[in-house]
Amino acid sequence: AFVQANSTDETIGCFCASRGYQKVVSDEALRSTCKEWLVSKAEALTWSIISSCTVVIINVVLKAVLGFLVEIERPATRSKMSTSKMKRIFIAQTFSTGFANFLVNY
């Protein structure tokens, strides 16, 4: 075994990180020693990807909905229409991105 049996999770994590992902995955002994560390890193990456995709999806839907609402509003000029649309999209995307970051870090 590479590390002592009474090692803490922090020590094992540090040991595994120092070896690198490629070496840990390719070496059977390292893979068994670092299994929990690999799983925790994979979970963190998965949640990061999910949160990023969620923000993108929410922003695309908001953009479409807000664009539709601006058309219903029927501003007098195309310039006023663009201004109204951009203000709404900016506010909605700012809040959705901030909310997603809050949930991920909470």
Side-chain angles (χ1 to χ4, degrees):
F2 294 103
V3 289
Q4 296 176 356
N6 61 353
S7 297
T8 64
D9 287 344
E10 189 175 299
T11 304
I12 293 172
C14 183
F15 169 78
C16 296
S18 71
R19 296 300 184 254
Y21 294 110
Q22 185 176 4
K23 192 167 191 171
V24 169
V25 171
S26 64
D27 186 328
E28 180 63 39
L30 277 174
R31 191 170 42 242
S32 65
T33 301
C34 300
K35 182 178 181 181
E36 289 182 31
W37 176 78
L38 279 173
V39 168
S40 71
K41 293 299 179 186
E43 286 175 352
L45 179 62
T46 301
W47 282 112
S48 178
I49 291 170
I50 288 171
S51 67
S52 297
C53 291
T54 302
V55 168
V56 169
I57 291 169
I58 289 171
N59 287 342
V60 167
V61 169
L62 279 173
K63 186 176 179 181
V65 169
L66 294 176
F68 177 73
L69 290 175
V70 168
E71 287 181 25
I72 290 174
E73 183 182 322
R74 296 190 188 261
T77 65
R78 291 186 63 78
S79 178
K80 286 183 180 179
M81 183 172 148
S82 293
T83 301
S84 177
K85 189 176 186 178
M86 292 312 299
K87 284 179 184 177
R88 291 171 192 252
I89 291 171
F90 171 76
I91 291 168
Q93 287 183 348
T94 301
F95 281 114
S96 72
T97 303
F99 184 69
N101 284 332
F102 172 76
L103 287 179
V104 168
N105 293 315
Y106 181 71

